[in-house]
Amino acid sequence: MSSELQVFRLPDLGEGLTEAELVNWLVAVGDQIKVDQPIAEVETAKSMVEVPSPYAGTVAKLHGQAGETLDVGKPLISIAPVGAAPAEPKAPAATDDAVSTGVVTDAEASAAAETYRTEEKAGSGNVLIGYGTPGGATGGRTRPRKGSVAVVDAAPEAPVAAPEAPMEPAVAGTRIPGKLSAVISPLVRKMARDHGVSLDAINGSGASGLIMRRDVEAAISAPEAPAAPSAPAEAAAPAAASGDLDGRTGLAVSARTPVRGVRKAVAANMTKSRTEIPEATVWVDVDATALLDMRAELKKRSPHDTPGLLALIARFVTAGLKKYPALNTRFETGADGSQEIVGFDGINLGFAAQTDRGLVVPSVRNAHQLSARELDAEIRRLTAVAREGKATPTELGSGTFTLNNYGVFGVDGSAAIINYPEVAMLGVGRIIDKPWVVNGELAVRKVTELTLAFDHRVCDGETAAGFLRYVADCIENPGGALADM
């Protein structure tokens, strides 16, 4: 039995995520583990995930500490195979020694991690089942178990065109057999697209000709001067600890909170939305008295399965999007600068949910096919899994339109930021008593404010106003609206 350590690298958790925070180890050095046994809990920008081991054996080394952020493709755990006595890894004198002992140098780990992430975007399939990259074939173990299952090494496929030089041992130890080319990570691809840089004209400086971020930066800055290799974002931040004096305000710094996980994802998404979407906002006050009265009557008849107000409004929203499908689209810009509006045959209705980990937007898939009661059940289920941190990337990233009930926080309205890459968001304010004219007379009614933020590139104000007025009319006359749906 070979005594070579098996190094399991942090797998791609799907949706283009490139890092995860190590929350907790579920095993310790010296433990005997089985295939598919959870070894660690990690928190991504999407959810909390248990990472299972693709190997059985004895835990030889844990690469990282709780609270540390790890890059996808970096070593997570080293395991001595079953029947082998785990030995202390020796400092390698050369690359071959490093591979034979299972020790990976920083340079090798960085190259392997970059190659690993690159291949994931080409669909290599080395991901957690349920968190897979699109178009990749998932090989290996698929037997059911509680939680996610790691894909183990698949049998080699037919060889592809070989690079000029043999693949580095560190890279070969982490990749699933498949296509290795100059495909780059989404972040680097976007940088090139945003600056009009043709990837075909770039000679990659990474392993096997991979195009790296520094290559695109050099192309952007040419011919003035080549760009220096990019430093990690963390390195650019001051290393000063709390208690230091802030140079701008002259006040002592009381705390420094790293932006990561869900907060980091939300910040990036909101920034992208504000940067790329020319949004406009329309709003209207709505008399919700009839809706509240109808729900109260339903609750008397069937107290245990009466849909909530959000589910009823969600039903009106899906009907409105069928009438005004322009708001259920996505605006895309191609690498060549071409633009198109992508429509969908169906509605995945997202809704904003506040959790201990921050604001997330789970989505009810095929919401247009569900009744108000079915919508209510799915909204409750998704809210529960989101607050537990167990929602999958698919549940959190597949929406086509978002409904935001910020009225639960006691506010009337909001100039909401659209949930990129969607093109519209409907907000619902609190329902309060207000003076309202009914049949020419002043009365006290239950009034709420609806606010629609929309991407002005996909439609004009007439479409947005038509949708908003339709939902408002449904709320004011819910019985007739539901009867027509």
Side-chain angles (χ1 to χ4, degrees):
M1 178 72 68
S2 172
S3 61
E4 178 181 338
L5 296 183
Q6 296 167 310
V7 179
F8 176 44
R9 304 180 186 279
L10 180 66
D12 179 6
L13 303 176
E15 298 296 316
L17 302 176
T18 59
E19 65 181 18
E21 180 183 348
L22 179 59
V23 176
N24 183 43
W25 283 109
L26 303 179
V27 296
V29 173
D31 286 356
Q32 297 290 325
I33 62 173
K34 302 177 181 178
V35 172
D36 293 344
Q37 177 178 334
I39 56 175
E41 288 182 322
V42 299
E43 181 181 18
T44 71
K46 299 289 185 182
S47 58
M48 190 85 73
V49 178
E50 283 187 349
V51 180
S53 171
Y55 307 120
T58 304
V59 177
K61 184 176 182 180
L62 304 178
H63 300 274
Q65 300 179 350
E68 183 179 349
T69 298
L70 304 177
D71 290 336
V72 167
K74 287 293 184 70
L76 179 64
I77 188 172
S78 295
I79 301 170
V82 176
E88 284 294 324
K90 299 177 181 179
T95 301
D96 292 341
D97 293 337
V99 174
S100 64
T101 59
V103 178
V104 182
T105 66
D106 289 342
E108 291 167 337
S110 297
E114 182 66 29
T115 301
Y116 186 102
R117 289 193 292 269
T118 299
E119 290 186 315
E120 294 311 323
K121 310 315 166 193
S124 69
N126 192 12
V127 297
L128 290 183
I129 292 177
Y131 297 82
T133 54
T138 55
R141 178 175 298 272
T142 58
R143 64 182 178 88
R145 64 174 296 279
K146 182 178 180 181
S148 302
V149 181
V151 175
V152 297
D153 291 346
E157 301 173 357
V160 297
E164 295 180 1
M167 185 182 299
E168 296 82 358
V171 175
T174 187
R175 73 186 296 269
I176 295 295
K179 183 178 179 181
L180 178 61
S181 65
V183 178
I184 59 172
S185 73
L187 297 177
V188 179
R189 186 182 298 277
K190 180 182 182 303
M191 179 186 294
R193 182 173 66 246
D194 290 348
H195 291 83
V197 175
S198 173
L199 298 176
D200 296 335
I202 297 179
N203 295 321
S205 62
S208 302
L210 292 175
I211 298 176
M212 312 293 284
R213 177 176 176 177
R214 58 176 175 265
D215 301 322
V216 177
E217 289 178 335
I220 293 171
S221 61
E224 290 80 8
S230 173
E234 293 81 4
S242 59
D244 293 342
L245 200 64
D246 179 59
R248 177 178 176 274
T249 64
L251 300 175
V253 176
S254 61
R256 292 185 182 274
T257 305
V259 179
R260 56 193 181 194
V262 170
R263 177 53 55 192
K264 183 177 181 179
V266 169
N269 200 52
M270 296 300 99
T271 300
K272 194 169 188 178
S273 179
R274 279 292 197 223
T275 302
E276 296 189 12
I277 298 178
E279 66 183 42
T281 305
V282 290
W283 60 90
V284 63
D285 287 339
V286 182
D287 181 1
T289 306
L291 179 62
L292 292 177
D293 290 345
M294 184 189 75
R295 185 174 183 276
E297 184 62 29
L298 291 174
K299 198 168 184 64
K300 289 179 182 178
R301 299 177 186 177
S302 182
H304 300 299
D305 62 348
T306 303
L309 287 174
L310 185 63
L312 291 170
I313 296 175
R315 188 71 185 90
F316 302 148
V317 167
T318 57
L321 290 174
K322 291 180 183 178
K323 292 178 67 68
Y324 299 92
L327 296 171
N328 188 55
T329 60
R330 183 171 63 234
F331 190 95
E332 290 187 352
T333 301
D336 59 354
S338 61
Q339 297 178 331
E340 60 182 1
I341 298 173
V342 181
F344 304 105
D345 184 15
I347 300 167
N348 290 348
L349 184 63
F351 62 95
Q354 191 68 41
T355 73
D356 292 340
R357 301 169 60 244
L359 182 69
V360 297
V361 185
S363 60
V364 179
R365 297 175 67 82
N366 295 311
H368 59 290
Q369 299 176 351
L370 304 182
S371 67
R373 284 190 174 87
E374 291 170 333
L375 283 168
D376 185 70
E378 186 65 0
I379 288 172
R380 293 179 187 275
R381 184 192 72 81
L382 288 169
T383 299
V385 297
R387 287 176 176 167
E388 292 169 1
K390 301 300 183 182
T392 67
T394 298
E395 290 172 328
L396 294 175
S398 60
T400 60
F401 182 95
T402 295
L403 176 60
N404 188 358
N405 181 24
Y406 43 69
V408 296
F409 301 114
V411 297
D412 298 328
S414 168
I417 300 177
I418 298 171
N419 184 28
Y420 185 91
E422 298 168 17
V423 298
M425 174 186 288
L426 179 67
V428 183
R430 60 176 179 164
I431 301 176
I432 58 175
D433 290 339
K434 280 189 175 182
W436 198 262
V437 177
V438 180
N439 297 325
E441 296 183 357
L442 195 61
V444 176
R445 307 289 284 183
K446 301 292 185 182
V447 178
T448 185
E449 182 180 283
L450 301 181
T451 306
L452 178 69
F454 66 98
D455 186 337
H456 224 314
R457 296 174 298 179
V458 303
C459 69
D460 297 323
E462 180 180 6
T463 300
F467 168 80
L468 187 61
R469 190 64 256 173
Y470 176 86
V471 176
D473 290 343
C474 289
I475 293 174
E476 293 183 341
N477 182 27
L482 291 173
D484 294 338
M485 292 178 185

